[in-house]
Amino acid sequence: LRKDNDTLLLNTMVQDIKKYSDDIQKYIKNIVLVSNLNETRALVDFTRKNGAFDIEDKNTWKLWEQLPSYGHRWFPAVQNEGEGIFIEFNSKLIDEHSKKENVKKRLQKLEENAQNEEDDSFKGYVPNLDLLFVHTFSHLLINEMAFYSGYNTASIAERLYVKQEQGIDMCGLLIYTAAGDEEGTLGGLVKLGLPEMLDELFEKAMEKARWCSTDPICNEVGTQGPFNKNLGACHSCALLPETSCNTRNSFLDRGVVVGTQNDRDLGLIKTKSFII
């Protein structure tokens, strides 16, 4: 996704980042327009109590009463054509921001709830700044894109590419939509990645994120959401329909993106429009 592709299943075009606003150039390293992508979703298993399972553990496969021999196994699946925008962030800037004491203190609130025994759906997830920043930025941008693209938020989805292990440097995001017909989509989403559109979307999304109708409760009280895996995020500002979110509306915080009312320095993004 970080380079040009021209195949039947994937068509991408890397953009010149210098054509975008100074604010975008500061926080984003790479923007790629994905005019055509192919999404395949397969049902590999199901659980009745917990949402987590190991796909490599053949004993957990419940789609067959008796597991077929190798070469005769199949999964029910659906394949859709779509479009999207890939964004790669400035990971160095995020790493530097994560070292600030106020940011560390903010993230500590989530650490004890990340591995909640009542919900092991996100076993192994680390609530680091990369995850919270990229994920929350995605939700804020999708909510703004819905006003411009012609799609509702339930039709737009995200795919997070965030480092969760040592030695892995990933800090990217794919915002996309996929339709269930042969024609795919009509280009309304990919066009939003052009400089003249994304500059405006970025500025408006970040400006709206500074204040929620439920603030200061939303951004200042503490952990919230399912099993307390969120900080500054509610249905009035940063949550999306479940079909759109990569992690069931967990690990979200506007505070690490644009700051809180009491601590604007907590947020990584500081655009010119924020200066009063």
Side-chain angles (χ1 to χ4, degrees):
L1 288 171
R2 294 190 297 180
K3 61 183 181 180
D4 292 325
N5 293 277
D6 187 11
T7 68
L8 292 176
L9 299 181
L10 183 64
N11 192 298
T12 61
M13 187 184 311
V14 178
Q15 301 299 292
D16 183 0
I17 195 66
K18 294 181 180 179
K19 293 183 178 180
Y20 293 83
S21 67
D22 293 339
D23 288 330
I24 285 183
Q25 291 183 48
K26 180 179 180 180
Y27 303 104
I28 295 175
K29 183 168 64 174
N30 192 17
I31 296 174
V32 183
L33 302 185
V34 186
S35 58
N36 180 54
L37 60 84
N38 192 284
E39 179 194 51
T40 302
R41 293 192 178 193
L43 175 64
V44 298
D45 200 355
F46 65 91
T47 59
R48 296 189 180 278
K49 182 179 179 182
N50 300 318
F53 63 91
D54 185 1
I55 193 173
E56 300 298 332
D57 184 3
K58 305 302 186 295
N59 294 323
T60 65
W61 289 5
K62 303 180 181 67
L63 296 184
W64 300 277
E65 183 176 358
Q66 293 182 345
L67 186 63
S69 60
Y70 186 78
H72 297 279
R73 302 171 189 171
W74 56 272
F75 294 114
V78 60
Q79 194 172 62
N80 293 324
E81 303 238 350
E83 58 171 317
I85 303 170
F86 176 74
I87 299 173
E88 184 181 6
F89 295 91
N90 186 340
S91 59
K92 183 178 180 181
L93 202 63
I94 296 177
D95 290 342
E96 291 175 354
H97 191 68
S98 66
K99 297 176 183 177
K100 294 183 178 180
E101 290 301 321
N102 56 345
V103 176
K104 291 180 180 179
K105 186 176 180 181
R106 178 85 170 180
L107 296 182
Q108 282 177 354
K109 299 178 182 180
L110 281 181
E111 290 181 358
E112 59 186 50
N113 297 318
Q115 308 301 331
N116 192 304
E117 294 182 357
E118 297 180 17
D119 177 30
D120 58 355
S121 301
F122 304 110
K123 187 178 296 183
Y125 271 67
V126 181
N128 55 25
L129 182 61
D130 296 79
L131 175 61
L132 264 69
F133 174 81
V134 174
H135 192 201
T136 310
F137 182 94
S138 172
H139 282 220
L140 297 174
L141 193 59
I142 287 175
N143 278 327
E144 193 64 26
M145 283 179 166
F147 291 104
Y148 289 79
S149 64
Y151 298 108
N152 57 47
T153 52
S155 299
I156 305 175
E158 65 181 2
R159 183 66 58 88
L160 306 178
Y161 299 93
V162 179
K163 57 183 177 183
Q164 286 284 282
E165 300 176 13
Q166 292 294 331
I168 297 178
D169 187 15
M170 287 198 305
C171 197
L173 161 70
L174 174 65
I175 296 176
Y176 71 99
T177 185
D181 57 26
E182 293 182 356
E183 299 299 326
T185 52
L186 301 177
L189 185 63
V190 72
K191 184 173 287 188
L192 297 183
L194 297 173
E196 59 271 19
M197 294 297 298
L198 192 60
D199 287 348
E200 183 177 352
L201 283 169
F202 177 86
E203 183 177 340
K204 288 189 175 182
M206 296 303 103
E207 187 174 356
K208 290 180 180 179
R210 297 186 73 208
W211 184 260
C212 170
S213 60
T214 60
D215 278 339
I217 296 175
C218 174
N219 220 1
E220 300 284 358
V221 170
T223 56
Q224 58 179 309
F227 301 101
N228 292 317
K229 287 186 171 67
N230 289 333
L231 288 168
C234 70
H235 286 285
S236 298
C237 59
L239 298 188
L240 290 177
E242 293 292 335
T243 54
S244 301
C245 182
N246 205 164
T247 59
R248 286 181 9 205
N249 277 322
S250 298
F251 303 111
L252 295 164
D253 179 26
R254 286 184 298 119
V256 298
V257 180
V258 295
T260 65
Q261 285 70 46
N262 291 331
D263 186 6
R264 288 300 181 192
D265 187 57
L266 181 66
L268 173 64
I269 294 181
K270 300 172 181 65
T271 66
K272 295 177 182 178
S273 61
F274 288 4
I275 302 175
I276 300 176

